[in-house]
Amino acid sequence: MSCCKGPGYSSPLEAFRKGPIEELLYVVCVQPDQTKEDYLATVDVDPKSPSYSQVIHRTYTGNVGDELHHSGWNVCSSCYDNPDLKRNLLILPALGSANVYAVDVGTDPRKPRLHTVIDGTEMRSFNCSFPHTTHCLASGEIMISTMGDKEENGKGDFVLIDSKTLKVTGTWTNGNKAKFGYDFWYQPYHDVMFASEWGTPKYFKTGFHENDAYNVERYGRSINIYKWSSRELQQVIDLGKEGVAPLEIRFLHDPKASEGFVGCALEANVYRFYKTTNGTWKADKVIDIPAKTVSKDGVESQLNGLISDILISLDDKYLYLSTWFHGNVRQYDITDTTNPKLTGIINFGGIILHNNLKVIEDKEFQDSITPVKLKGKYLEGSPQMLQLSLDGKRLYVSSSLFSPWDKQFYPEMIKKGGWIVKIDVDTENGGLKLDPNFLVDFGKEPNGPALPHEMRYPGGDCTSDIWLAQDT
């Protein structure tokens, strides 16, 4: 990698030590009213600003029925050696419509504008739908994982988009396709790409149904490992019943690292994956969040945590996760990756609080759950997506998972709007503290209450950037 400065940062530690303190946050927002447009919200997160913790601009898609979800960049730190490239377009794939929106955040970062719309027919022409994770490649191309075929049956695939013409050019995989798709992370140093699984879109889009989740034909439970150079699926690790719905997958940021983690939603487990001496890969469960025994109307049941997001700090010291059912945000010290240690937790209540459940047995905590109130507002919903500052000191948390599931489990959030909060992080000793002066309230948006999901910073962050080793 040359000294020439292209987009992003030369290494994760350069971003960690020298990256700027964030002043803006780009937030994907879904309108629960399907007759209204989804949009990208620009949030002011500069404490010195008079509009601190407020939405200062909205960039609408111009269409309805999109279900925006995740976002990524046209180019990123994997292209750091190319000074001719600029990270100026935020890429927003839509689960429902399969449209892909390219938003210009370079001309005026405080007022992004819609640049191009790639119609969903382009993606479906390659028998793909339900686009999820966007990563840029060192080639300058954009790659987006997809979860369904054009009929919304389960299929793990990846579409390629030319970053200059913004046209879908085809699919990435050669040979066999994975049964399901979701997130992905590539690691050229080890000639691999790892991908995870949610399930069959035509089933999970109707809501969460427990019988579906344990049906191996409807929900995934595997890590899919591809040979990066040949684009072939080479190994599938079946995580079994305790690994149902492995969602966010994160290699350590060190570009030579041969290990990482995946959060398995349903049973609230985290698996560490790693390279063995014979060149294959294995996965071991290293975090197991126990179910709580709860009761409602005299009927007892087991309530799993539902891990909905995980991320790793740029110095690879801490792992963070959210449990959307239990309703907490956790920090783990992963200095010893084989034995993560819980070092911080904030409890927002989750389903227990918002559905008036009585806790009969809690194997972890004995404290009672109390409602969280910030700046005069009780928080409906539960912590979901996470984004960490480059220096690891501020953790932003949004509340929406997926609008059909939001409506099912947190109907009051639909009525009153979602939110973003900020958690201050002790990066030396571990520990989390909710900032009482920060709240982005999406209950008072111009077109009605909205649901905030994934968050990005201008210039990149710890979940959008993948670094290449200098001697790949």
Side-chain angles (χ1 to χ4, degrees), residues 26-99:
Y26 297 132
V27 185
V28 169
C29 294
V30 172
Q31 251 293 346
D33 182 344
Q34 294 284 303
T35 67
K36 298 178 180 179
E37 300 172 26
D38 293 351
Y39 58 98
L40 181 73
T42 304
V43 175
D44 187 335
V45 294
D46 179 0
K48 302 183 297 295
S49 171
S51 54
Y52 179 57
S53 79
Q54 296 176 31
V55 177
I56 59 173
H57 187 74
R58 298 163 188 86
T59 309
Y60 294 93
T61 65
N63 296 296
V64 297
D66 278 319
E67 188 76 33
L68 295 179
H69 199 63
H70 281 213
S71 61
W73 298 99
N74 58 328
V75 297
C76 58
S77 291
S78 65
C79 301
Y80 185 77
D81 61 345
N82 189 341
D84 296 326
L85 298 179
K86 293 182 179 179
R87 187 190 333 233
N88 58 355
L89 296 178
L90 189 60
I91 308 300
L92 312 178
L95 295 182
S97 65
N99 292 340

Side-chain angles (χ1 to χ4, degrees), residues 24 31 112 181 226 288:
L24 297 175
Q31 251 293 346
Y226 297 81
D288 186 339

Side-chain angles (χ1 to χ4, degrees), residues 299-330:
V299 179
E300 289 189 12
S301 62
Q302 296 294 301
L303 180 67
N304 282 308
L306 197 112
I307 293 176
S308 50
D309 196 14
I310 69 167
L311 59 75
I312 298 171
S313 60
L314 285 173
D315 61 349
D316 290 334
K317 181 178 180 180
Y318 292 110
L319 179 147
Y320 298 85
L321 65 82
S322 57
T323 59
W324 200 61
F325 280 177
H326 285 178
N328 54 54
V329 174
R330 297 168 178 239

Side-chain angles (χ1 to χ4, degrees), residues 359-418:
V359 178
I360 304 299
E361 182 185 26
D362 189 331
K363 296 179 180 178
E364 288 188 300
F365 311 111
Q366 303 304 317
D367 297 338
S368 60
I369 299 171
T370 57
V372 174
K373 188 177 184 180
L374 284 179
K375 300 176 75 171
K377 177 185 173 73
Y378 285 105
L379 301 185
E380 302 291 347
S382 192
Q384 209 282 291
M385 290 302 292
L386 309 172
Q387 191 54 266
L388 186 66
S389 62
L390 296 179
D391 61 10
K393 295 180 179 179
R394 294 164 302 283
L395 183 69
Y396 297 91
V397 184
S398 64
S399 59
S400 169
L401 190 151
F402 176 48
S403 68
W405 291 33
D406 295 346
K407 293 173 184 177
Q408 180 179 355
F409 292 105
Y410 296 105
E412 287 300 309
M413 183 173 66
I414 303 298
K415 298 176 186 176
K416 299 178 181 178

